[in-house]
Amino acid sequence: MSLKKQFELLATYNQWMNSKVYVAAGQLSATDLAKDRGAFFGSILGTLNHILVGDTIWLKRFATHPSCLNSLRVVADLQSPTSLGQILFDDLGRLSEQRIWLDRQIINWIAELSEGDLDFVLSYHNTKGISAQKRYSSMVLHFFNHQTHHRGQVSTLLSQAGVDIGVTDLLAQIPDETHV
């Protein structure tokens, strides 16, 4: 399977898992969602916001790739987050709407990438202003890994709150292969 196909799989997995997480989170009250549970970003709501913040920051960086100027134009126009812990939306409904929209943008962006696009060297500045030049494909992999890392934290927080989100393995999204 090509690297692009792997990223397409990760994009659909991201969308599927976000849907599951938000449905599960919807079973909790606003108070329970905002309760500080000792996670990196405090609460379930704080962690879900952080994932959206991280995705926005990275997608705005990815939008500087010459072949992504159109596919990520609407994301590039979003207001830049001011901190990694910024609460973009303080209610789950509005946060969920933005998440659904952003997941669609991610799927469309990945679909439009070519294998050659993945060899590009991305120049950017991190949130502390430090310059970096890294291979685009490696940064896309980091992007999806970051989401998975923090969704795992949300899964744990939901479990501690008595909510089971069910199967979370990427394996559930990998199609069976038939032998020819």
Side-chain angles (χ1 to χ4, degrees), residues 120-159:
F120 181 78
V121 174
L122 181 68
S123 296
Y124 67 94
H125 290 86
N126 70 14
T127 57
K128 295 179 179 162
I130 298 170
S131 177
Q133 294 79 40
K134 300 192 185 275
R135 184 148 323 271
Y136 201 79
S137 59
S138 297
M139 296 300 87
V140 173
L141 184 59
H142 165 75
F143 171 74
F144 286 119
N145 186 65
H146 178 263
Q147 297 165 345
T148 300
H149 166 68
H150 287 295
R151 270 195 311 267
Q153 292 172 338
V154 173
S155 174
T156 297
L157 298 175
L158 286 166
S159 179

Side-chain angles (χ1 to χ4, degrees), residues 16-17 20-21 24 27 155 158 163-169:
W16 176 68
M17 278 305 307
K20 289 173 65 82
V21 164
Q27 297 176 42
S155 174
L158 286 166
V163 178
D164 179 12
I165 66 172
V167 174
T168 62
D169 291 332

Side-chain angles (χ1 to χ4, degrees), residues 104-121:
R104 175 60 26 216
Q105 303 311 307
I106 292 167
I107 287 172
N108 292 341
W109 158 61
I110 293 293
E112 292 181 20
L113 286 175
S114 71
E115 285 289 333
D117 291 336
L118 298 171
D119 287 332
F120 181 78
V121 174

Side-chain angles (χ1 to χ4, degrees), residues 15-28:
Q15 182 184 48
W16 176 68
M17 278 305 307
N18 283 332
S19 176
K20 289 173 65 82
V21 164
Y22 277 80
V23 166
Q27 297 176 42
L28 297 174

Side-chain angles (χ1 to χ4, degrees), residues 1-7 9 115 174-175 177:
M1 183 184 287
S2 71
L3 190 54
K4 180 181 176 344
K5 290 289 185 193
Q6 294 286 347
F7 289 148
L9 174 63
E115 285 289 333
I174 298 172
E177 300 285 337

Side-chain angles (χ1 to χ4, degrees), residues 14-56:
N14 171 64
Q15 182 184 48
W16 176 68
M17 278 305 307
N18 283 332
S19 176
K20 289 173 65 82
V21 164
Y22 277 80
V23 166
Q27 297 176 42
L28 297 174
S29 69
T31 301
D32 284 337
L33 288 170
K35 179 181 177 183
D36 188 337
R37 298 174 184 275
F40 291 135
F41 295 95
S43 65
I44 294 167
L45 191 65
T47 305
L48 291 174
N49 268 281
H50 170 71
I51 298 168
L52 194 65
V53 164
D55 285 1
T56 301

